[in-house]
């Protein structure tokens, strides 16, 4: 049996993950780090299809909201006869009644909603808007990489850093997407891992003992580049196997939904707890394109929001005090029209809403500026106007949470935030 046979057969495709020779040693050390020394982790959750921001973060204090949506509007918090209304946050804005878990996070100071936020691009194309948000370059279709991959490349791996100060240097699991293929936001030169599930991350061979023989070959073969990388690939697989994904039990009473999205978030929690050096995680969930039969306090959108809320709040509960070092960012490519359409839904709009969740947020406050819903205040006479560029949020998270002092290379051409100058022009979502 020769190495070239397996290489030709593609059995070692995982070698492209960029494993380093001391990966397992650093991983074991990181698992024993005190909480204060652990590295930071960013989890980005993308709601694909354009979530209706006005029924997610409800402007019950704006009377024009109710005039534009006679059937779809979410009622004010004080509803008669026990009818479901918005969950009051600040006397003007509230949460959809399906987001009860988010209200708990708000009360704990872990939730920072952002209103009227999104892309300055005028496009209403799902494909283009998602591309612009994931590359961080609105109206530029030629950008070859995603902004999260650019962050990884700019910050790099610090081989001289102690574990916990910059993730685990050289960890193959520094950036993970819980997806069948690498999403646009993580495309680029820096190595990333995309997998549907932890238990599926394995070497596939066409015979029962081929994996054992292959591992033995790398354990006993001569020292060369392929030998070293192959050995660390098996070490990485052993670390994931040690996490015992099929026997995992969430902590602190967390009960993840059995939905695909809920299970993806549970596996992100597993990777964080396993100490594999996870710095950036990504997951997405579709079903937000509600042109028809959207529903109000109940119905299609309500069901989607309930799963979203239950999944995220389970992740927060499961991670416990690790949330001091973890930040969750939710986003969607754009919002939806202010006025409901003739089929009980809403069409493609402009500005949307985001949530930032973690121990370092400036919580119990809705961030951003409310533009108003009177006709003369709408974008192109139909949509919620944009008052916060999404790059202001992404750049602040990259700088203040992940510690990248100059974000200009991650968001080329963007002059908001501190622009890489160390100024104080951030939105103030993070403390």
């Amino acid at each position: 049996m020769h190495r070239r046979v397996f290489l030709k057969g593609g059995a070692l495709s995982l070698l492209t993950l960029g494993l380093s020779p001391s990966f397992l040693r650093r991983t074991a050390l990181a698992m024993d780090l005190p909480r204060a020394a652990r590295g930071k982790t960013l989890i980005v959750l993308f709601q694909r299809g354009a979530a209706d921001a006005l029924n997610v973060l409800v402007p019950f204090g704006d009377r024009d909201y109710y005039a534009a949506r006679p059937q779809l509007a979410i009622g004010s918090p004080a509803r008669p006869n026990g009818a479901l209304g918005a969950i009051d946050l600040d006397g003007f804005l509230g949460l959809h009644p399906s987001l009860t878990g988010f209200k708990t996070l708000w009360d704990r100071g872990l939730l920072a909603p952002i209103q009227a936020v999104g892309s300055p691009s005028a496009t209403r194309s799902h494909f283009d808007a998602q591309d612009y948000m994931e590359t961080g370059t609105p109206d530029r279709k030629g950008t070859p990489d995603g902004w999260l991959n650019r962050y990884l490349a700019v910050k790099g791996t610090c081989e001289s850093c102690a574990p916990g100060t910059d993730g685990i240097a050289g960890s193959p699991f520094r950036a993970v997407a819980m997806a069948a293929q690498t999403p646009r936001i993580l495309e680029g030169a820096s190595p990333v891992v995309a997998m549907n599930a932890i238990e599926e991350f394995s070497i596939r061979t066409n015979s029962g003992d081929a994996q054992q023989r292959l591992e033995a070959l790398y354990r006993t073969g001569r020292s060369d580049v392929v030998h070293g990388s192959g050995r660390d690939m098996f070490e990485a697989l052993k670390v994931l196997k040690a996490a015992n994904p099929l026997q995992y039990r969430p902590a602190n009473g967390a009960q993840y939904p059995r939905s695909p999205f809920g299970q993806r978030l549970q596996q992100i929690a597993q990777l964080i707890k396993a100490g594999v050096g996870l710095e950036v995680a990504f997951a997405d969930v579709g079903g937000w394109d509600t042109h028809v039969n959207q529903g109000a306090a109940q119905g299609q959108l309500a069901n989607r929001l309930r799963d979203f809320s239950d999944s995220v709040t389970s992740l927060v509960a499961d991670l416990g005090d690790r949330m001091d070092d973890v930040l969750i960012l939710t986003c969607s490519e754009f919002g939806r029209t202010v006025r409901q359409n003739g089929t009980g839904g809403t069409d493609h709009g402009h500005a949307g809403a985001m949530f930032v969740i973690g121990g370092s947020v400036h919580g119990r406050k809705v961030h951003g500026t409310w533009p108003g819903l009177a006709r003369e205040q709408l974008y192109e006479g139909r949509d919620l106007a944009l008052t916060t560029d999404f790059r202001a949020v992404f750049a602040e998270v990259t700088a203040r949470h992940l510690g990248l002092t100059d974000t200009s290379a991650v968001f080329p051409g963007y002059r908001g935030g501190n622009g890489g100058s160390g100024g104080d022009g951030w939105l103030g979502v993070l403390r």
Side-chain angles (χ1 to χ4, degrees):
M1 182 179 294
H2 302 285
R3 288 189 189 88
R4 57 185 174 84
V5 175
F6 285 94
L7 288 170
K8 183 177 180 181
L12 295 183
S13 60
L14 293 181
L15 291 179
T16 60
L17 298 179
L19 309 175
S20 64
S22 55
F23 163 69
L24 193 59
R25 176 179 56 80
R26 287 193 303 269
T27 300
L29 178 59
M31 294 176 73
D32 294 328
L33 285 173
R35 177 162 56 93
R38 292 186 186 128
K40 301 293 185 180
T41 302
L42 173 65
I43 303 171
V44 178
L45 307 177
F46 204 115
Q47 297 166 276
R48 296 198 186 277
D52 179 22
L54 295 177
N55 275 19
V56 173
L57 194 57
V58 182
F60 64 84
D62 192 322
R63 63 182 182 181
D64 291 303
Y65 168 69
Y66 293 100
R69 298 185 170 199
Q71 283 78 45
L72 294 188
I74 306 299
S76 62
R79 300 301 307 282
N81 304 321
L84 292 174
I87 303 170
D88 187 17
L89 295 180
D90 61 4
F92 184 87
L93 288 164
L95 297 170
H96 189 283
S98 289
L99 296 174
T100 54
F102 276 28
K103 179 56 163 59
T104 301
L105 300 179
W106 168 276
D107 292 340
R108 293 174 57 194
L110 298 176
L111 181 75
I114 307 170
Q115 59 186 330
V117 59
S119 174
S121 173
T123 185
R124 291 189 174 88
S125 160
H126 290 299
F127 179 82
D128 287 344
Q130 289 179 26
D131 188 73
Y132 298 153
M133 186 167 280
E134 292 187 77
T135 60
T137 55
D139 286 325
R140 287 173 54 181
K141 293 187 177 182
T143 305
D145 46 16
W147 71 266
L148 278 178
N149 197 284
R150 286 199 299 278
Y151 157 75
L152 295 169
V154 171
K155 195 171 183 186
T157 56
C158 181
E159 292 291 347
S160 63
C161 292
T165 59
D166 191 28
I168 299 177
S171 167
F173 304 110
R174 185 184 178 204
V176 174
M178 298 306 302
Q181 59 187 22
T182 303
R184 188 75 170 93
I185 198 170
L186 278 169
E187 285 183 351
S190 295
V192 302
V193 172
M195 56 181 167
N196 282 320
I198 293 175
E199 61 267 25
E200 294 180 10
F201 189 81
S202 61
I203 301 171
R204 292 180 174 85
T205 60
N206 57 7
S207 64
D209 63 344
Q211 180 171 329
Q212 288 75 22
R213 288 187 290 140
L214 179 61
E215 185 171 0
L217 177 66
Y218 279 99
R219 188 168 54 246
T220 59
R222 72 179 186 275
S223 177
D224 55 24
V225 174
V226 178
H227 169 225
S229 298
R231 180 186 61 219
D232 291 334
M233 174 179 64
F234 285 108
E235 290 178 343
L237 291 170
K238 288 176 181 177
V239 169
L240 290 187
K241 185 177 181 180
N244 204 1
L246 298 180
Q247 299 299 319
Y248 180 76
R249 294 294 180 268
N252 306 313
Q255 296 183 346
Y256 291 91
R258 298 303 302 170
S259 65
F261 182 66
Q263 295 306 295
R264 291 184 197 116
L265 298 200
Q266 176 174 309
Q267 300 211 31
I268 289 174
Q270 288 179 256
L271 290 172
I272 292 173
K273 291 182 177 183
V276 297
L278 183 64
E279 189 173 354
V280 173
F282 177 87
D284 57 12
V285 56
W288 303 95
D289 197 14
T290 51
H291 288 282
V292 180
N293 297 327
Q294 175 175 308
Q298 297 178 335
Q300 178 188 173
L301 179 63
N303 293 337
R304 180 66 61 189
L305 286 171
R306 188 174 300 109
D307 177 66
F308 190 75
S309 174
D310 290 350
S311 299
V312 173
T313 53
S314 294
L315 174 63
V316 173
D318 192 6
L319 292 177
D321 62 11
R322 292 174 185 265
M323 286 303 300
D324 289 346
D325 301 311
V326 174
L327 201 70
I328 302 170
L329 170 65
T330 79
C331 53
S332 193
E333 64 263 34
F334 45 65
R336 307 194 73 82
T337 51
V338 174
R339 289 184 292 276
Q340 65 183 61
N341 61 28
T343 57
T346 51
D347 299 319
H348 297 178
H350 192 50
M354 292 183 180
F355 294 99
V356 184
I357 302 165
S360 60
V361 304
H362 186 181
R364 301 190 189 93
K365 174 184 177 181
V366 180
H367 297 265
T369 302
W370 182 248
L373 296 179
R375 184 174 182 83
E376 64 275 11
Q377 297 170 318
L378 301 182
Y379 176 76
E380 296 185 345
R382 52 173 273 172
D383 300 328
L384 179 67
L386 181 76
T387 59
T388 297
D389 189 314
F390 69 78
R391 290 170 294 182
V393 181
F394 294 173
E396 181 174 346
V397 165
T398 303
R400 288 189 169 175
H401 180 67
L402 295 175
L404 188 65
T405 55
D406 186 346
T407 62
S408 58
V410 180
F411 303 101
Y414 178 60
R415 297 294 177 262
N418 71 357
S421 65
D424 59 357
W426 300 117
L427 189 61
V429 176
L430 300 182
R431 293 187 272 105

